[in-house]
């Protein structure tokens, strides 16, 4: 099974990758980097120069920024990071920003203090470099590799926060850990339920984004989709995403640096467990399985890619739902193969309100994949990119997303930045 050291590594990995975040993690990561550089400078910068990777730019262009009354994009996140951001809060960096901070940030943008450029040299898809200047002084900070990982660069260095070495996973290890680890060690995962459920309730209460979740709960939605477990799973997941992507000032539990992935790995499992009357222990283990499966897939895919993150997170939720149905490891592996056969190739064209549509597509596939898997029906190695070994199938998916779709990623960004 596992050594004590392996169990501790897997538990540490879960704690590190499943954390609260307010707002879309890409602009929040930029705001975090700006806040850190500003704190080092010791005063409000007169100039902020940023170099950002293409994937950071792509995921920050059209998403709502929390606490801004519906403002979108990087400039307001950058200005708030400098004026009211606190780097000690991590991805909740803008949590304590006030109305006065927002008014000052709007003036700061109008005064043209911010310069944003595309990073041309560093190959990392998650790269943020901030240089701040004021009164003849300057300071800089760099985030690279993951959303809160500060690294050193140039003559001025930040406090280095190097992540621990990850344990190398397989799906069987993920399953064994989720189903055998002492329950007390895993109970913290219920915070994902609590935070993301509160976000779903907020999305139902107000008119956020495209209101996909509310539409599915409306008489129109119920008339078409009914009041089934399936429709409830879709609507509750969409409501949370609607609120988050529109910039609601509410934390969600993220997964692998993505709030949407956290929502997608959590809410389908929570909704199914509620409707299926599963026990709390079953829910805890299913959520652990879902989140750790998503983390495992992201290990080889990378933090940011051309592949939509809902493909990864909904694959996690499919394993959790299959488990809650009473599925064996073999059936859980079947659900993963069904997911990969269906959703591989869904592009990421940035973070934005319409991500709710993609999450709903992923979650609907997760439920269908689980339904087939529990009946031992699955896509075989004679079909497409699926192999007999489920881990090889997963790595086929991540190879396509990380390397095979590189040209697609650049093409998508070019379209996004040259729209008429």
């Amino acid at each position: 099974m596992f050594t004590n050291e392996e169990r501790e590594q897997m538990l540490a990995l879960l704690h590190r990758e499943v954390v609260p975040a307010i707002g879309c993690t890409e602009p929040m990561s930029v705001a975090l980097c700006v806040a850190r550089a500003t704190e080092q400078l010791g005063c409000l910068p007169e100039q902020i120069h940023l170099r950002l990777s293409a994937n950071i730019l792509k995921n920050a262009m059209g998403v709502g920024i929390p606490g801004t009354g519906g403002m979108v994009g990087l400039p307001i996140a950058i200005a708030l990071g400098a004026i009211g951001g606190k780097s000690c809060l991590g991805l909740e960096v803008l949590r304590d920003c006030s109305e006065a901070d927002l008014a000052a940030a709007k003036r700061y943008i109008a005064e043209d203090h911010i310069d944003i450029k595309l990073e041309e040299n560093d190959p990392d898809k998650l790269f943020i470099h901030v240089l701040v200047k004021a009164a003849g002084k300057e300071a800089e900070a760099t985030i690279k590799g993951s959303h809160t990982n500060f690294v050193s660069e140039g003559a001025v260095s930040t406090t280095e926060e190097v992540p621990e070495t990850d344990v190398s996973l397989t799906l069987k290890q993920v399953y064994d850990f989720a189903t055998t680890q002492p329950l007390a060690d895993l109970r913290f995962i219920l915070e994902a339920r609590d935070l993301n459920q509160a976000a779903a309730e907020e999305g139902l209460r107000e008119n956020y984004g495209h209101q996909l979740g509310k539409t599915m709960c409306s008489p129109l939605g119920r008339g078409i989709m009914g009041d089934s477990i399936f429709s409830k799973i879709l609507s509750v997941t969409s409501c949370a995403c609607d609120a988050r992507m529109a910039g609601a000032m509410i934390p969600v539990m993220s997964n692998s640096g993505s709030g949407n992935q956290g929502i997608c790995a959590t809410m389908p499992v929570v909704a199914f467990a509620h409707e299926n009357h599963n026990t709390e222990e079953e829910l805890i283990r299913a959520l652990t399985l879902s989140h750790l499966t998503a983390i495992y897939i992201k290990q080889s895919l990378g933090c940011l890619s051309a592949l939509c993150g809902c493909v990864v997170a909904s694959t996690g939720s499919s394993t959790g739902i299959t488990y809650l149905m009473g599925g064996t490891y073999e059936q859980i592996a079947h659900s993963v193969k069904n997911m990969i056969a269906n959703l591989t190739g869904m592009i990421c064209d940035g973070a934005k309100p319409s991500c709710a549509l993609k999450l709903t597509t992923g979650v609907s596939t997760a439920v269908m994949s689980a339904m087939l898997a529990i009946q031992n029906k699955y896509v075989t190695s004679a079909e497409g990119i699926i192999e007999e070994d489920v881990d090889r199938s997963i790595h086929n998916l991540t190879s396509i997303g990380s390397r095979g779709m590189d040209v697609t990623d650049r093409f998508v960004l070019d379209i996004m930045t040259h729209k008429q």
Side-chain angles (χ1 to χ4, degrees), residues 69-88:
M71 296 181 71
V72 301
L74 278 171
I76 189 63
I78 292 165
L80 280 173
I83 291 167
K86 295 178 181 176
S87 68
C88 63

Side-chain angles (χ1 to χ4, degrees), residues 48 81 134 141 191 216 302 304 315 319 392:
I48 304 178
E191 189 182 351
M216 285 190 282
L304 299 175
T315 299
T319 67
R392 288 184 62 85

Side-chain angles (χ1 to χ4, degrees), residues 14 18 186-193 283-284 287-288 291:
L14 196 60
V18 181
L186 304 178
R187 188 169 291 278
F188 80 94
I189 204 74
L190 289 178
E191 189 182 351
R193 173 199 63 186
L283 173 60
I284 290 170
L287 284 173
T288 302
H291 277 273

